[in-house]
Amino acid sequence: MAQSSDTESRKLLSRLQAVMADADAGQERLDRIVHLIADSMGTEVCSVYLLRDADTLELCATQGLAPEAVHVTRMRLGEGLVGRVAKFARAINTANAPVAKGFRYMPETGEEAYSSFLGVPIQRLGEPMGVLVVQSKDEREYSEDEVYALEVVAMVLAEMTELGVFVGEGAALSARHTSQYMIRGTCAQEGAAMGQVWLHEPRVVVTRPVADDPEAERKRLNEAIDQLRTDIDKMLTRAPRGDKEQAEVLEAYRMFARSRGWMRRMEEDIARGLSAEAAVEKEQSSARARMQTVPDAYLRDRLHDLDDLSNRLLRLLTGQGRDTGAELPKNPVLVARNIGPAELLDYGRKLKGVVLEEGSVGSHAAIVARALAIPLVIHAKRITTEALNGDPILVDGDQGIVHLRPEDTVSGAFQDKMAMQAEAQERYASIRDKPAQALCGTVVSLQMNAGLMADLPSLPSSGAEGVGLFRTELQFLTRARVPRRGELAKLYSSVMDAAGDKRVVFRTLDIGSDKVLPYMKPQDEPNPALGWRAIRVGLDKPGVMRMQLQALIRAANGRPLSVMFPFIAQFDEFTAARDHLMKEIDREAALGHVLPADLKVGAMLETPSLAFAPRQFFEMADFISIGGNDLKQFFFAADRENERVRRRYDTLNVSFLTFMEQIVHRCAESDTPLSFCGEDAGRPVEAVCFAAMGLRNLSMRPASIGPVKSLLRRVNLDEARAVITDARGSGAQSVRGAVMDWLKRQG
């Protein structure tokens, strides 16, 4: 095969297919395959290296190198030429291997006799699985045809490996998707879950990588491409007008579906002996490998589009749709690359947890997961390629760790942790109806955050005294169009009905930054968190805000109403927003509609600037709520979506607590009710410190109320305040250490 041709390539793949069909053991199959490849390509050496773990390659079969080196020679990713092929997912073709960059001599292999080297990655869907190598004594570079032919063979080997054709003894030949796998991701929602994997998009398995009839495969590919193009055109026709982002994605789909280069490469793969679906997956795998190395965000997005398009094409070719007929397991844990809020809401409370390869702490999915009170781990690398439907899985949302197919010892320890949490919940239930009264007599009001009707059943069971924050944006984020006023009024009325006589604080639409509406024109901003968002959108485009305010007034229908405006940065923004609300009150009165029995208008303090607003602001506001998540990131200039910095700064930092104390004093001067709303309010140690600094209202997720109340009832806030004061006076950067030592002494 020194003079490569499509016919010879097909002959080799046919011979490989025959090896797959034989009943030989995995090692025997590999041994036969390296012999076949060396013979077909006219090389003295052919070797297969497979990953024995995520970082180590092992020589698993060879024709030409020392037989005793098999399962002995190992190298790390990036080590030697073979390791570099695996690490960078690129072929290395050199006439003189010993002088090539990165060469490492392995004396036990006897490879010093061979000069030329060609290594290509064995990868599936961009995930490295091993390296296929041919070597010769002659100093020569292999031709483009030979390189391409070996890449086609490597792709088939990847599919054979995935299908378990080479299963044998040792870690490198162990069956895939059977051993335990631990992933360290990022915590986006706390909690623990134990269940079985449910793949949001079931994997397409190519069971027939090799085909004998290229013309038939080309016809199958062309028919599937025609159907794909038709589907995309229909999707474009149905796409909502004005949704620029969705239109751009669909236009990218259409561009790729009509790409001659993409089509040509797949047809060339078919000509060399691959089936139509194997040809699609080979190109998809190459695109995924490129995706991981491209620094440009726009190009990465386009490669994502190509990846999604390839999945659609594979489903058309294989008939393996999303609906596989499998039933949702008893304790499903959703595993996906990413997911939208509407799709996650469709699953609802059936899910025990969610694990995503992508996502962000402030994403729509994270907001919904918090509302559903289910643990969420994001940035879980390779989870969708590693997990299979039904696999046992443990989700530790507190630590951001996922255990896939865990060992019994890990499962046992996890069950013990969940049992301890269940016991703690029983203890919390016993104090559910008791006040959060500290030993010094101070009472702290604990309220819950919500955003869905599904949250409201937690109100009585959690012990919350009301809803300190009802996020209204979820009803906008999960729809393809702006909700109608009547729909919103009905929803808000239902929320008030469910809350009964307990107060609900409705935050007006908080969009922009990480919360972009599907039908809203995307804003190309370099820093969206500091850009056109929340009240800035409402004041610049008041139509939606006015409609929402009308819906809230009508929903109250004579009951008390509390409205809070988000992301107020200066006094005039609050006065302008409040004026809009009062105009709607006057308008509803003129129409003869029933007005709220009592109207409270507040602001969310999320920017440091508002803490320095004129005294008149604090006097005008009926209440103020500190939005801890945003305020903390702006105070420390640390993006909460940036993993490098978001955990760098402590909430109990002396500077931040001093700033909180200043806000408490300003509100006390005008007798303005103040609350703290955010993730930190739901952490017991932080909650005690906030209460010690003078905050008397805390709003958090329902599951946090029990732990916070339990600790508050066991401590003296005057003593806590003294500990904090001493720590501040000592020059400590954070009071956490001193407070933790004090709490340990409390028992």
Side-chain angles (χ1 to χ4, degrees):
M1 197 168 159
Q3 301 297 318
S4 178
S5 71
D6 291 352
T7 302
E8 289 168 335
S9 177
R10 286 200 303 276
K11 285 180 181 178
L12 173 56
L13 292 183
S14 296
R15 294 168 75 184
L16 290 178
Q17 192 173 25
V19 172
M20 288 170 61
D22 289 344
D24 294 338
Q27 185 64 58
E28 292 172 347
R29 283 173 167 164
L30 266 181
D31 292 340
R32 288 176 60 192
I33 283 171
V34 293
H35 176 78
L36 277 176
I37 296 171
D39 181 56
S40 297
M41 293 192 67
T43 62
E44 285 96 346
V45 175
C46 177
S47 306
V48 170
Y49 298 80
L50 296 176
L51 284 171
R52 61 176 284 111
D53 57 46
D55 301 305
T56 311
L57 289 158
E58 180 174 300
L59 177 62
C60 290
T62 187
Q63 168 71 32
L65 297 184
E68 56 269 23
V70 174
H71 298 303
V72 174
T73 295
R74 292 172 186 168
M75 63 207 68
R76 307 284 287 178
L77 290 185
E79 182 182 7
L81 297 183
V82 174
R84 289 174 68 83
V85 171
K87 181 176 181 178
F88 299 109
R90 288 196 297 266
I92 292 180
N93 181 11
T94 177
N96 192 350
V99 301
K101 180 181 179 181
F103 175 80
R104 184 189 168 203
Y105 175 50
M106 301 285 189
E108 71 274 13
T109 65
E111 65 178 344
E112 66 272 13
Y114 307 102
S115 293
S116 63
F117 174 98
L118 171 59
V120 299
I122 300 172
Q123 59 184 359
R124 184 175 188 274
L125 300 179
E127 295 295 329
M129 301 172 76
V131 178
L132 175 60
V133 176
V134 292
Q135 295 171 271
S136 298
K137 292 180 179 178
D138 297 339
E139 283 195 21
R140 74 177 185 95
E141 282 197 8
Y142 293 88
S143 68
E144 288 185 9
D145 280 347
E146 288 173 310
V147 174
Y148 190 84
L150 199 65
E151 287 176 337
V152 170
V153 172
M155 188 271 167
V156 174
L157 292 183
E159 290 302 325
M160 294 166 76
T161 303
E162 176 69 16
L163 293 169
V165 173
F166 305 129
V167 172
E169 295 183 6
L173 295 184
S174 62
R176 289 174 61 78
H177 313 297
T178 56
S179 59
Q180 67 167 343
Y181 188 74
M182 189 192 82
I183 304 170
R184 288 190 179 274
T186 301
C187 167
Q189 168 62 24
E190 298 163 346
M194 189 173 192
Q196 295 79 44
V197 168
W198 180 259
L199 292 170
H200 181 56
E201 290 195 347
R203 301 165 47 161
V204 174
V205 180
V206 177
T207 56
R208 192 178 65 98
V210 179
D212 298 325
D213 188 344
E215 283 305 316
E217 295 305 306
R218 259 194 293 268
K219 183 179 178 184
R220 290 181 63 229
L221 178 65
N222 283 315
E223 288 174 350
I225 285 284
D226 287 343
Q227 182 62 52
L228 182 67
R229 290 170 178 168
T230 300
D231 291 347
I232 293 168
D233 288 341
K234 288 180 180 177
M235 289 163 65
L236 268 166
T237 303
R238 293 196 298 265
R241 291 183 180 179
D243 188 347
K244 185 179 177 183
E245 189 172 15
Q246 184 177 351
E248 282 181 356
V249 171
L250 292 175
E251 286 294 352
Y253 280 3
R254 182 149 68 178
M255 178 188 73
F256 283 127
R258 286 168 169 74
S259 168
R260 293 180 181 178
W262 187 45
M263 194 70 182
R264 186 190 69 251
R265 290 192 298 272
M266 291 188 291
E267 288 179 338
E268 288 173 354
D269 295 335
I270 288 172
R272 291 182 180 273
L274 292 183
S275 65
E277 50 265 48
V280 174
E281 191 166 276
K282 178 177 179 293
E283 295 309 313
Q284 182 184 26
S285 190
S286 298
R288 278 201 179 180
R290 292 197 300 275
M291 197 187 304
Q292 295 168 8
T293 60
V294 170
D296 184 82
Y298 177 80
L299 291 177
R300 267 201 315 275
D301 286 343
R302 297 294 72 79
L303 287 169
H304 265 305
D305 296 338
L306 180 56
D307 190 60
D308 290 338
L309 196 69
S310 299
N311 280 332
R312 291 174 183 272
L313 187 55
L314 281 170
R315 295 188 194 286
L316 287 171
L317 284 164
T318 62
Q320 298 175 34
R322 289 187 178 180
D323 185 3
T324 62
E327 291 186 5
L328 202 69
K330 185 178 179 181
N331 295 305
V333 172
L334 186 73
V335 171
R337 195 174 76 187
N338 215 337
I339 190 169
E343 294 171 301
L344 189 51
L345 280 171
D346 285 342
Y347 286 103
R349 294 189 182 274
K350 296 190 289 288
L351 298 177
K352 298 298 180 183
V354 180
V355 182
L356 302 178
E357 277 192 7
E358 300 175 1
S360 64
V361 174
S363 67
H364 307 156
I367 294 169
V368 173
R370 290 184 198 115
L372 296 175
I374 52 178
L376 168 64
V377 173
I378 58 176
H379 305 150
K381 291 183 178 179
R382 300 186 65 236
I383 185 67
T384 57
T385 53
E386 195 64 43
L388 296 178
N389 265 342
D391 276 347
I393 187 170
L394 310 176
V395 182
D396 186 342
D398 302 329
Q399 302 296 322
I401 294 175
V402 177
H403 297 274
L404 188 62
R405 300 180 291 270
E407 291 182 341
D408 291 343
T409 53
V410 176
S411 293
F414 200 81
Q415 285 176 321
D416 290 343
K417 175 181 178 177
M418 293 188 70
M420 290 175 63
Q421 290 180 341
E423 289 176 12
Q425 288 299 328
E426 289 181 12
R427 292 199 306 272
Y428 303 148
S430 68
I431 60 172
R432 180 183 61 199
D433 298 324
K434 296 180 180 180
Q437 184 171 4
L439 296 179
C440 57
T442 302
V443 177
V444 180
S445 175
L446 303 182
Q447 301 176 59
M448 63 174 267
N449 299 333
L452 299 167
M453 272 301 297
D455 292 320
L456 273 300
S458 302
L459 185 54
S461 61
S462 68
E465 296 175 41
V467 180
L469 167 67
F470 189 89
R471 305 179 185 92
T472 61
E473 57 269 12
L474 284 177
Q475 289 72 46
F476 288 79
L477 290 168
T478 57
R479 297 174 183 236
R481 58 168 178 79
V482 178
R484 299 181 188 279
R485 180 178 56 196
E487 294 171 334
L488 290 178
K490 184 178 180 181
L491 171 72
Y492 301 151
S493 178
S494 298
V495 170
M496 292 182 187
D497 290 343
D501 59 355
K502 293 184 177 179
R503 183 188 184 210
V504 180
V505 177
F506 290 93
R507 183 179 70 186
T508 60
L509 190 57
D510 184 4
I511 55 170
S513 184
D514 54 354
K515 298 188 283 287
V516 180
L517 301 180
Y519 40 83
M520 175 180 166
K521 182 180 179 182
Q523 302 299 312
D524 186 16
E525 296 182 302
N527 193 341
L530 297 176
W532 196 58
R533 54 173 290 200
I535 197 63
R536 297 169 181 175
V537 177
L539 293 176
D540 289 352
K541 303 286 186 181
V544 173
M545 185 170 72
R546 287 179 53 215
M547 181 268 288
Q548 186 181 29
L549 293 174
Q550 292 165 12
L552 285 166
I553 295 166
R554 295 182 185 186
N557 194 29
R559 292 174 287 192
L561 175 63
S562 294
V563 177
M564 179 166 62
F565 294 109
F567 208 65
I568 300 293
Q570 56 189 18
F571 184 25
D572 70 347
E573 289 176 339
F574 180 70
T575 56
R578 188 177 181 278
D579 286 347
H580 276 294
L581 175 56
M582 301 319 294
K583 285 177 182 176
E584 295 310 318
I585 288 284
D586 292 342
R587 181 177 180 275
E588 292 297 299
L591 292 172
H593 294 161
V594 179
L595 300 181
D598 180 45
L599 179 64
K600 300 294 185 187
V601 187
M604 205 156 204
L605 195 157
E606 299 168 271
T607 63
S609 62
L610 195 60
F612 302 95
R615 176 179 49 81
Q616 288 86 346
F617 161 70
F618 292 91
E619 292 174 344
M620 179 180 289
D622 293 318
F623 63 93
I624 292 172
S625 179
I626 296 172
N629 298 341
D630 263 335
L631 184 62
K632 184 178 169 184
Q633 75 166 340
F634 298 140
F635 184 82
F636 289 113
D639 184 357
R640 64 189 174 116
E641 299 293 348
N642 187 330
E643 288 304 310
R644 290 182 178 178
V645 299
R646 85 180 186 97
R647 296 187 184 277
R648 189 183 187 98
Y649 301 99
D650 190 358
T651 305
L652 301 186
N653 180 290
V654 167
S655 301
F656 191 66
L657 283 183
T658 302
F659 185 51
M660 291 295 100
E661 185 179 41
Q662 180 180 343
I663 297 170
V664 169
H665 287 330
R666 293 222 62 187
C667 288
E669 289 171 356
S670 56
D671 201 23
T672 306
L674 175 67
S675 65
F676 186 102
C677 173
E679 295 170 14
D680 289 320
R683 299 188 171 107
V685 176
E686 281 84 339
V688 165
C689 292
F690 291 158
M693 300 304 289
L695 281 156
R696 296 293 177 259
N697 295 280
L698 303 175
S699 189
M700 62 203 72
R701 66 190 182 104
S704 297
I705 290 175
V708 168
K709 183 185 289 187
S710 177
L711 185 57
L712 282 170
R713 288 175 58 84
R714 301 201 312 270
V715 299
N716 183 312
L717 293 179
D718 293 334
E719 291 181 15
R721 174 69 185 225
V723 171
I724 292 171
T725 300
D726 289 345
R728 289 198 292 183
S730 72
Q733 180 169 280
S734 170
V735 306
R736 186 175 298 277
V739 171
M740 292 300 293
D741 289 342
W742 171 71
L743 286 172
K744 287 174 184 175
R745 293 195 298 271
Q746 305 306 299

